[in-house]
Amino acid sequence: MSLHEKVEGLCRNPHSVSQALAEDPSLSPGEAAKKLYHPDNISISEGHVPSKRNPATEDELERALQCGRFTTQPSELFLRVFHDSLMPLEHDPLMGCCSPSLVGSTGTCPLTIISGLPDICRHMSNLIARADKEVLLATNYWMDSDASRLITDGLKELSRRAGERGVRAVVKIMYDRGNVKQVLDNHQTVSEEEYTGKNIRLPSTKEAPNLDMQVLNYHRPMLGTFHSKFMVVDRKIGIVSSNNIQDNSNMEMMCHVEGPIVDSLYDTFLISWHNELDPPLPSRNSPAAQGGLPTFEQASFQGLFDPNGNLNVPEYGNSRSLQEVAEAGKRTELPLHAPGDPHYDVDIAGEVTRMQSVMSPRDGETGPAVAARHLNRGRHLDLKPTIEGNYAPGEEMTPYIPHRVHDLVPMALVNRKPYGATNHNGVFMPQNEAWLSAVRNATTSVFIQTPDLNAAPLLPELLAAVRRGVDVTYYVCLGYNDAGELLPFQGGHNEGVANKLYTSLTAEESAARSRLHIHYYTAKDQVAPIHDSFKQRSCHVKLMIVDSHLGIMGNGNQDTQSWYHSQEVNIMIDSAEIVTKWREGIERNQNTAKLGRSSNEDGIWRDAQGNQAKGAIGVDAGKFSWAKGVVGAVQRVRGAGGF
């Protein structure tokens, strides 16, 4: 399998949808894409999966290198995965929802968040409030909620600040709430009357008079869900995350990026938007590649770290600047930035300090009690911690993980287009090829966290990896959307898949069995997994780490829907420093590694007495699993199920 000259030409050609709109703002992104790449004449289902994938040669890796805008030399693993992710572009240049010239890039990661959903929305709302002129926000599901109120409060604050500056800010918001009109037009403009209604409750013109806001509802019937979750602010800051905008009990993950990779996310937003931009985007002539690295240039952020790169701000505790102490007056801790009671910070350093204050023990609280208090916020729960005693120093929950100042590192977008048909032909996509290539080319370790893992193409690759000596560890959520996954052709529920993997290894393959580690998400304050049906402690993180230096995170689950149908946006990073921090944050902010491990005989979690978790289905879903699947499908459409 080798890169076609057509793909090389597309990647090396400087043209992009973004550039076309900069040159002619009257074009819609859809018109620009058609002019450059003729996407209307392409059928996704005709892009067949190669019958054989041969490893790229040294010459082919060099050609792949020239297809990206890398300022530092990527690792061989990154280049192999990048090479393979480009292959589907031969059939359709926009299979990755990004202009080919912008797919491979560089960037920095100042901040990662691994926590409950509200903490990501807190950061998003701060970025929105601090925006200068432009916010582009894409999410799968938007529901009026505490999470959405954090965002809408931020939009109102942006309007207020823009008014003080005597300017207007442009806001574009895109989500997926499928309706029958999308059979004829996938991209439905949402009226102000609708987006200010009870289900969405975005600000009205009266509430945010200094915003020019457009809202779009995008879905490709039947199954082509717009599952993307990302944001671009002022074409300088990018956010890629796992969360929707709704209240739930999920642990989530977000990566804040800056540098040239933001231009790639900006381009992806334009291609996804498709329709006319009214008004045009103010940043169309201000590429991120020329905009510096805003966070790393701030003295306050640099001051978070000592000369050795260690945090000066304690990992918990009320560490504040003198100015913050003066402003706080007699308060003993910084208040939470909350919906309806916003407390905006001037920069990321302020956000980190506030979060560490919020996570400090109060009135004799233990560490597990602090974690429980914080994780309960997503659904206003009162679930008590089951972890006894206290955490050892350094084990406290730390939702915000700042990364010390670092050079630009190789990055790439490995996305996929939506595919609506009710078959599995829409599988040859950059996202899927990247995941498969990463596992195939792993030499030491593969780590995955995902709500569900049941994608048929992935399972044999995981088995092949452990058989050739690679350690494979994956974390899934017990019972996550079991009903939906039990529909025919959806791949099955997590316990059934775990059982299938372990029982596929013969008695003679004990070494391979010892290298396969399957765990069920166990929250930071709990001693055991809690079944998702209770909606108390679930996990929605989407992450793959290979050989401790290549990371892929974003929107895509390792399930049938994400592999075959939904539009997904994922970022691939080549940096041992960043990826190590990701893995440390994953382990520190949950107990999955210690307390969630399944049996390596049948893939089932049991407690010390041999009991399965309450609500668990076990290996056999029963005769009427298809009926449960129908219920799950209905819940998904209503937004009540996992997605």
Side-chain angles (χ1 to χ4, degrees):
M1 191 168 71
S2 177
L3 276 180
H4 194 277
E5 289 182 1
K6 172 186 173 182
V7 177
E8 288 187 73
L10 289 167
C11 291
R12 296 185 187 188
N13 189 317
H15 294 308
S16 65
V17 170
S18 308
Q19 182 61 32
L21 292 180
E23 295 170 356
D24 184 359
S26 68
L27 287 174
S28 71
E31 291 169 337
K34 185 174 182 178
K35 183 178 178 181
L36 290 171
Y37 307 115
H38 313 290
D40 288 349
N41 301 323
I42 298 169
S43 170
I44 291 177
S45 62
E46 294 174 359
H48 296 301
V49 178
S51 58
K52 187 176 182 181
R53 295 177 174 89
N54 294 316
T57 64
E58 291 300 317
D59 176 65
E60 289 164 347
L61 291 180
E62 178 60 29
R63 290 161 58 196
L65 176 64
Q66 301 306 316
C67 287
R69 301 182 178 186
F70 307 119
T71 55
T72 56
Q73 177 67 34
S75 66
E76 180 180 334
L77 174 61
F78 181 95
L79 279 179
R80 289 193 177 280
V81 178
F82 180 61
H83 170 278
D84 293 350
S85 74
L86 294 176
M87 299 303 295
L89 304 190
E90 179 182 347
H91 175 68
D92 178 355
L94 295 183
M95 201 72 95
C97 303
C98 181
S99 298
S101 61
L102 294 172
V103 170
S105 189
T106 59
T108 62
C109 175
L111 179 70
T112 296
I113 298 176
I114 300 173
S115 187
L117 183 152
D119 286 341
I120 295 175
C121 290
R122 290 183 226 285
H123 180 55
M124 293 172 68
S125 69
N126 265 291
L127 293 177
I128 291 168
R130 295 198 294 260
D132 180 31
K133 57 188 176 183
E134 181 182 287
V135 174
L136 312 178
L137 192 159
T139 189
N140 165 231
Y141 196 77
W142 180 295
M143 178 184 288
D144 178 42
S145 55
D146 281 355
S148 71
R149 282 188 284 278
L150 281 164
I151 304 299
T152 55
D153 285 350
L155 291 169
K156 293 173 186 177
E157 179 67 9
L158 170 60
S159 175
R160 186 189 69 78
R161 295 182 185 186
E164 289 182 347
R165 297 193 297 267
V167 299
R168 300 185 66 78
V170 173
V171 175
K172 313 287 185 188
I173 295 176
M174 183 164 35
Y175 53 66
D176 183 339
R177 293 179 70 92
N179 66 49
V180 69
K181 295 179 182 178
Q182 287 163 327
V183 173
L184 298 177
D185 184 357
N186 301 162
H187 298 81
Q188 292 287 317
T189 299
V190 182
S191 68
E192 181 172 337
E193 180 182 7
E194 183 178 349
Y195 71 64
T196 58
K198 64 178 183 178
N199 293 325
I200 307 298
R201 293 194 192 278
L202 279 164
S204 65
T205 302
K206 184 177 180 180
E207 293 172 304
N210 300 301
L211 301 185
D212 292 317
M213 188 156 66
Q214 270 185 295
V215 181
L216 195 72
N217 180 3
Y218 177 32
H219 183 87
R220 187 176 293 276
M222 293 274 291
L223 301 177
T225 300
F226 182 69
H227 194 237
S228 304
K229 311 146 198 300
F230 66 103
M231 184 172 78
V232 180
V233 177
D234 291 334
R235 204 172 173 178
K236 293 181 179 180
I237 294 168
I239 294 294
V240 180
S241 65
S242 62
N243 61 290
N244 297 310
I245 309 298
Q246 63 183 130
D247 290 344
N248 58 40
S249 58
N250 289 345
M251 173 70 70
E252 305 276 5
M253 180 175 179
M254 181 226 75
C255 181
H256 172 131
V257 294
E258 298 180 7
I261 191 66
V262 177
D263 287 327
S264 310
L265 291 169
Y266 176 88
D267 195 78
T268 293
F269 188 93
L270 293 179
I271 291 169
S272 303
W273 184 270
H274 184 79
N275 286 4
E276 179 185 6
L277 296 159
D278 181 23
L281 297 180
S283 68
R284 60 186 179 275
N285 290 308
S286 305
Q290 300 173 11
L293 303 172
T295 298
F296 284 176
E297 293 164 5
Q298 295 169 353
S300 60
F301 186 84
Q302 297 169 16
L304 285 175
F305 303 89
D306 67 20
N308 297 318
N310 299 313
L311 274 174
N312 283 323
V313 177
E315 292 183 315
Y316 74 97
N318 297 318
S319 175
R320 291 170 283 170
S321 68
L322 291 176
Q323 181 182 0
E324 286 172 322
V325 171
E327 290 173 350
K330 296 182 179 180
R331 289 196 296 264
T332 57
E333 65 271 328
L334 294 175
L336 177 71
H337 173 47
D341 184 25
H343 297 274
Y344 299 105
D345 291 296
V346 297
D347 51 28
I348 286 180
E351 292 182 58
V352 170
T353 301
R354 182 179 301 279
M355 182 55 64
Q356 303 300 36
S357 175
V358 167
M359 297 302 296
S360 298
R362 301 172 185 174
D363 302 322
E365 280 182 313
T366 64
V370 173
R373 163 165 56 86
H374 200 63
L375 292 172
N376 282 335
R377 297 185 197 278
R379 295 192 66 238
H380 302 282
L381 301 173
D382 189 30
L383 185 66
K384 304 302 181 185
T386 53
I387 293 284
E388 296 181 354
N390 217 331
Y391 300 130
E395 291 186 354
E396 302 85 2
M397 185 175 179
T398 55
Y400 284 17
I401 304 167
H403 299 265
R404 67 179 182 177
V405 176
H406 52 263
D407 294 332
L408 293 168
V409 301
M411 296 187 181
L413 292 188
V414 287
N415 306 337
R416 61 154 291 142
K417 291 181 77 169
Y419 180 64
T422 56
N423 58 52
H424 286 177
N425 291 343
V427 68
F428 189 45
M429 299 280 182
Q431 166 192 267
N432 301 347
E433 292 304 302
W435 283 335
L436 291 173
S437 180
V439 176
R440 283 196 195 104
N441 288 291
T443 58
T444 58
S445 63
V446 172
F447 172 80
I448 296 170
Q449 182 148 25
T450 175
D452 299 301
L453 191 149
N454 60 21
L458 180 64
L459 302 184
E461 297 298 340
L462 296 180
L463 290 172
V466 296
R467 283 169 172 150
R468 69 172 186 269
V470 174
D471 277 308
V472 173
T473 301
Y474 77 73
Y475 298 171
V476 287
C477 185
L478 185 64
Y480 200 92
N481 195 41
D482 270 357
E485 303 305 330
L486 290 170
L487 278 170
F489 311 113
Q490 289 302 299
H493 67 305
N494 284 327
E495 292 158 286
V497 172
N499 179 264
K500 177 181 178 180
L501 287 172
Y502 277 123
T503 56
S504 295
L505 297 169
T506 66
E508 291 73 32
E509 294 181 297
S510 58
R513 182 183 300 275
S514 70
R515 288 189 287 268
L516 178 60
H517 316 285
I518 301 175
H519 299 241
Y520 296 95
Y521 171 69
T522 306
K524 181 67 174 175
D525 61 328
Q526 299 297 311
V527 298
I530 296 178
H531 195 275
D532 179 65
S533 61
F534 296 103
K535 304 303 178 187
Q536 293 176 325
R537 296 288 187 269
S538 302
C539 191
H540 201 234
V541 170
K542 303 106 166 29
L543 173 65
M544 176 184 285
I545 294 174
V546 176
D547 289 354
S548 301
H549 68 86
L550 183 133
I552 303 173
M553 66 79 59
N555 312 156
N557 300 319
Q558 300 296 342
D559 64 10
T560 299
Q561 177 68 28
S562 284
W563 271 74
Y564 293 102
H565 296 291
S566 297
Q567 176 171 325
E568 312 287 5
V569 173
N570 307 287
I571 190 165
M572 179 168 70
I573 294 181
D574 190 16
S575 167
E577 180 177 333
I578 294 171
V579 167
T580 297
K581 283 289 187 182
W582 284 358
R583 184 66 188 274
E584 289 174 353
I586 287 287
E587 302 302 352
R588 181 164 179 160
N589 290 338
Q590 56 186 294
N591 290 331
T592 308
K594 299 176 183 177
L595 301 171
R597 186 166 184 173
S598 75
S599 161
N600 68 355
E601 295 296 327
D602 62 5
I604 302 300
W605 182 91
R606 296 178 179 85
D607 63 19
Q609 289 72 45
N611 301 311
Q612 295 187 46
K614 185 178 179 181
I617 291 177
V619 173
D620 186 2
K623 294 181 179 179
F624 297 102
S625 61
W626 61 269
K628 298 174 185 176
V630 171
V631 173
V634 172
Q635 288 180 326
R636 275 190 175 188
V637 173
R638 292 177 56 241
F643 218 44

